[in-house]
Amino acid sequence: MRLDKVLSNLKYGSRKDVKNMIKNGAVLVNGKAIFDADYKIDINCDKITLNGKEIYLKEHVYLAFYKPKGFLSSHKDEIHPSLFKFIKEPYNRYDLKIAGRLDHDAEGLMILTNDGSFIHEIVSPNRHVQKTYEILIDKAFKLSDKNKLLEGVEITLPDSSIHFTKALDLIFDENIVKMTIDEGKFHQVKKMMKSVGYEVLNLKRIQIGNLKLNLKEGAYQEIDKADVLG
Ligand code: URA
């Protein structure tokens, strides 16, 4: 990719700004000043410094993030703050997207990445990536309802169609349920719980694929995609 494009993609300035920085000798590639804006960069092995500071350069970044309750799984809203406010340098320079949303009032593990095909792998219904939720419900859970959820229940989707869905695994203790599913329909867990008569008071995603939640609220950590699907 062209040097000016790499720098402007990483939000170091407009294409015009970064062209000027390059012309003024502010940019080194592998220790050598480069004055050509169209110099070709190999993102996977070249080292770029800007004003003496090395740029964090990767084609794809993958972050595990603990979304706290009350934050939106999207960039903007007039009322609610976005989870992207937690993401700082250098990751906030990347065009990160969410691999599987969580409701505004839900918390827990999310994966943020600029790798579109990885997002597709995580959210695609055909891949059957498992997600585990810890669910606080409004009353003690009954064994008979575990069997119902494992056998399958019907939930109504936003387009009013009926969807048959199953829990893959479920353990419970009083009013705390840990349930694993391999789908991610809109409000899926809340609807599954409602179908057997419970209201969800708190919902926390604790695992996606092989990746377990191991972070403090609002914290994130760079991971490898093999940590999730490997
Ligand atoms: N199921 C829900 O109901 N909400 C979520 O945020 C995730 C799964």
Side-chain angles (χ1 to χ4, degrees), residues 27-141:
V27 180
L28 308 187
V29 179
N30 304 323
K32 227 178 95 204
I34 297 295
F35 299 95
D36 302 332
D38 65 355
Y39 184 89
K40 292 286 175 300
I41 294 295
D42 182 340
I43 290 183
N44 294 313
C45 52
D46 286 337
K47 203 169 116 177
I48 305 180
T49 53
L50 174 63
N51 295 320
K53 245 182 100 187
E54 188 175 341
I55 284 177
Y56 190 74
L57 192 61
K58 273 193 164 182
E59 185 180 3
H60 291 134
V61 293
Y62 306 88
L63 298 182
F65 172 62
Y66 184 155
K67 182 184 102 66
K69 282 165 84 159
F71 289 86
L72 274 191
S73 298
S74 61
H75 275 280
K76 270 207 233 96
D77 181 298
E78 267 100 64
I79 307 160
H80 307 295
S82 157
L83 65 84
F84 285 97
K85 88 172 198 61
F86 289 95
I87 311 300
K88 309 284 187 226
E89 284 266 2
Y91 303 108
N92 56 0
R93 296 189 170 276
Y94 286 82
D95 189 15
L96 298 176
K97 303 255 163 30
I98 296 159
R101 287 160 176 267
L102 277 176
D103 293 340
H104 172 258
D105 61 358
E107 60 181 307
L109 183 61
M110 293 192 110
I111 297 168
L112 311 179
T113 180
N114 62 337
D115 180 350
S117 51
F118 183 69
I119 293 182
H120 183 71
E121 277 186 73
I122 294 288
V123 301
S124 163
N126 305 328
R127 285 298 304 242
H128 300 289
V129 176
Q130 298 192 359
K131 294 128 200 145
T132 303
Y133 295 86
E134 193 178 275
I135 310 150
L136 177 71
I137 48 175
D138 58 337
K139 50 187 178 269
F141 191 77

Side-chain angles (χ1 to χ4, degrees), residues 166-223:
K166 284 178 185 184
L168 302 176
D169 196 16
L170 192 153
I171 53 174
F172 66 97
D173 181 15
E174 294 281 327
N175 61 341
I176 298 176
V177 178
K178 264 190 203 170
M179 180 169 76
T180 301
I181 55 176
D182 66 358
E183 294 182 301
K185 303 278 185 233
F186 189 58
H187 296 328
Q188 171 126 8
V189 171
K190 290 174 184 162
K191 285 179 178 171
M192 288 174 79
M193 283 297 154
K194 194 169 171 219
S195 75
V196 284
Y198 302 94
E199 190 194 337
V200 172
L201 303 181
N202 195 60
L203 181 59
K204 181 172 172 182
R205 184 156 63 202
I206 55 172
Q207 187 163 348
I208 301 175
N210 296 327
L211 185 71
K212 292 195 165 110
L213 180 63
N214 187 17
L215 293 161
K216 295 210 170 89
E217 269 186 56
Y220 57 88
Q221 185 183 28
E222 191 165 354
I223 55 163

